Amino acid sequence: YKWLNSELKGFARDTLDRQSCVGDLFEKKQLDAVLEKGVADGAEIMDRHRLWSVLILELWMKKWLKK
């Protein structure tokens, strides 16, 4: 998951923007915290794993729920 704070940092931020599908499920403050913790240098593995899970959920929702 180390690429979440390097190569995929921009992707993560763009995917979880203001118009994200998961924004309807979670509070923005909580999503922002998951994002910032997950892309931080030296982030704990569980913070990166949590961010990865939210990203996958977002991509799934965009594909299958067509928001």
Side-chain angles (χ1 to χ4, degrees), residues 36-51:
E36 292 310 313
K37 285 182 178 182
V39 299
D41 290 334
E44 297 289 327
I45 189 70
M46 284 309 297
D47 291 328
R48 290 183 177 148
H49 182 72
R50 197 171 290 115
L51 173 56

Side-chain angles (χ1 to χ4, degrees), residues 50-65:
R50 197 171 290 115
L51 173 56
W52 182 250
S53 297
V54 172
L55 286 170
I56 295 303
L57 177 60
E58 174 66 22
L59 295 172
W60 182 89
M61 290 178 76
K62 282 184 178 174
K63 175 161 179 71
W64 297 105
L65 300 182

Side-chain angles (χ1 to χ4, degrees), residues 1-22 31 34-36 38-39 48 50-63:
Y1 295 119
K2 289 189 177 196
W3 22 261
L4 283 171
N5 72 337
S6 57
E7 294 95 2
L8 291 181
K9 185 184 260 187
F11 171 77
R13 290 185 191 280
D14 292 344
T15 301
L16 298 178
D17 64 5
R18 289 184 210 153
Q19 296 184 358
S20 67
C21 296
V22 293
L31 281 176
V34 167
L35 178 62
E36 292 310 313
V39 299
R48 290 183 177 148
R50 197 171 290 115
L51 173 56
W52 182 250
S53 297
V54 172
L55 286 170
I56 295 303
L57 177 60
E58 174 66 22
L59 295 172
W60 182 89
M61 290 178 76
K62 282 184 178 174
K63 175 161 179 71

